[in-house]
Amino acid sequence: MPTIHFLREQLDVDCPAGAILRDAALDAGVELYGLKGKLGNCGGCGQCSTCFVAVAGPGEDICLTPRTAPEQRFLKKRPLNWRLACQAVIRDSLVVVTRPQAGWPGGDEALAAAASAMPVNVMSNPQDGAHQDSGQGDGNGQDGGDGAETGVETVDKTIDETGER
């Protein structure tokens, strides 16, 4: 199961492959939006470009699905590692910096260092972005645990092959 490390918040969140980064962040209580984003965000439709994040991972090119058309439009003058959280589907563990436009201590060096420290959990077929079922659990997304053993919150937001939630 991929782990998302939110660098600014120093929070690790486990979520299934196929989850939308925005949903995983908001479900974990991570604040994605600055003032402008709080006032005018589109609710995850890829129309407002207020859920910027900077990302890095051990297999950076396969941690998230490729940029979507809205991302191509909104991020063409932004760094290549910036994504719109509402458009990024998680494939593997990665490090995320929320609100990178506000700057963060250590900048890209801290992001790269955190990403290089992460274990690689590459899926067997990273090109399709489909959830790899381990056969564990009871089938309803509940693991029966309270997360106390790891201190990590589990988020269960997945999409199917057609991109629907």
Side-chain angles (χ1 to χ4, degrees), residues 38-61:
K38 287 178 185 175
L39 295 174
N41 84 67
C42 66
C45 297
Q47 301 301 308
C48 68
S49 74
T50 59
C51 59
F52 288 124
V53 294
V55 299
E60 194 168 323
D61 56 337

Side-chain angles (χ1 to χ4, degrees), residues 11-155:
L11 175 68
D12 289 335
V13 177
D14 283 343
C15 63
I20 307 238
L21 182 56
R22 177 186 184 271
D23 295 341
L26 294 178
D27 287 348
V30 173
E31 183 58 61
L32 286 177
Y33 302 102
L35 179 61
K36 177 184 172 189
K38 287 178 185 175
L39 295 174
N41 84 67
C42 66
C45 297
Q47 301 301 308
C48 68
S49 74
T50 59
C51 59
F52 288 124
V53 294
V55 299
E60 194 168 323
D61 56 337
I62 60 168
C63 291
L64 298 170
T65 53
R67 282 186 173 185
T68 62
E71 286 180 293
Q72 296 291 354
R73 185 174 67 246
F74 288 123
L75 299 174
K76 61 182 160 190
K77 294 183 181 179
R78 301 288 186 167
L80 293 176
N81 69 327
W82 281 30
R83 298 293 303 266
L84 296 179
C86 69
Q87 299 293 297
V89 177
I90 299 164
R91 290 180 167 168
D92 201 356
S93 298
L94 71 151
V95 179
V96 175
V97 174
T98 55
R99 301 179 321 275
Q101 66 274 26
W104 66 93
D108 290 330
E109 295 81 18
L111 183 61
S116 67
M118 293 188 81
V120 178
N121 296 328
V122 178
M123 294 171 41
S124 61
N125 188 0
Q127 298 305 314
D128 66 5
H131 176 63
Q132 301 290 319
D133 190 355
S134 65
Q136 298 175 351
D138 59 11
N140 67 3
Q142 303 297 320
D143 63 3
D146 62 1
E149 297 85 15
T150 62
V152 175
E153 179 178 343
T154 301
V155 179

